[in-house]
Amino acid sequence: MALNFNFYEIWKDYYSQYSNLLDDQVTKQFPAEAIGQLLEMNIQFKKMLNESTERYYELVNLPSKNDLAHISSQIVNIDAKVDDLEEFIQESKDNQRDAVVQQREIANLKKDMKSFDTKLNQIVTLLSSPKVTNTKETV
């Protein structure tokens, strides 16, 4: 079933009806009700054009404005997730570097503690050994 939409003819009919209606309303000094009707008619025509365009895009397998907006929002969401992952990876690398630095510091502290321990042991042994006194006889 082929759709034979002649938008030019539809637009031409709409324009002639609109101009006739406008001419009639101008002679009646544009009451508010007539302006409301004109606006309603414009809204209905725009709605019809939008629906026809959507159907046409669907038939020829083209993306509509809504499809592109949906894809765009998905791309933005994916981009945000990638940014979050990059931050997480960078934080992980920083934490690993910090852990390596901490391990080096702990190893250095262990060496220092062993050195202090040996020195302390030497001091204790010297203090606990019998004192050798230098006694000088005073004459």
Side-chain angles (χ1 to χ4, degrees):
M1 178 177 166
L3 298 174
N4 289 329
F5 283 114
N6 188 344
F7 287 107
Y8 177 74
E9 287 295 324
I10 293 172
W11 178 79
K12 186 176 166 185
D13 290 340
Y14 170 76
Y15 181 77
S16 65
Q17 289 175 4
Y18 183 76
S19 64
N20 290 337
L21 183 62
L22 187 62
D23 289 341
D24 290 342
Q25 295 303 320
V26 167
T27 59
K28 295 180 183 177
Q29 299 176 348
F30 275 110
E33 184 178 310
I35 292 174
Q37 289 174 351
L38 288 173
L39 289 175
E40 183 66 31
M41 195 167 84
N42 281 337
I43 290 170
Q44 288 176 354
F45 182 71
K46 179 160 177 24
K47 185 178 177 183
M48 182 197 66
L49 280 177
N50 288 344
E51 289 172 357
S52 299
T53 304
E54 285 288 325
R55 277 188 256 136
Y56 174 75
Y57 283 156
E58 191 176 308
L59 286 174
V60 294
N61 201 22
L62 290 175
S64 68
K65 185 178 180 180
N66 292 336
D67 294 336
L68 294 176
H70 181 68
I71 290 172
S72 176
S73 69
Q74 286 181 337
I75 289 171
V76 168
N77 290 339
I78 289 171
D79 188 40
K81 289 178 182 179
V82 167
D83 288 343
D84 290 343
L85 284 173
E86 286 176 346
E87 287 179 20
F88 178 75
I89 290 170
Q90 186 62 39
E91 287 175 4
S92 296
K93 286 180 180 179
D94 292 343
N95 289 341
Q96 287 175 350
R97 286 186 205 129
D98 291 343
V100 168
V101 169
Q102 287 175 352
Q103 288 175 353
R104 286 183 192 154
E105 289 177 358
I106 290 172
N108 290 337
L109 285 173
K110 284 181 181 179
K111 288 178 186 175
D112 291 343
M113 288 301 290
K114 285 181 183 178
S115 170
F116 288 137
D117 190 39
T118 57
K119 288 179 183 179
L120 186 62
N121 285 338
Q122 289 173 356
I123 292 171
V124 168
T125 55
L126 287 175
L127 289 176
S128 64
S129 68
K131 290 186 178 181
V132 176
T133 57
N134 292 339
T135 54
K136 292 185 181 177
E137 292 182 27
T138 54
V139 189

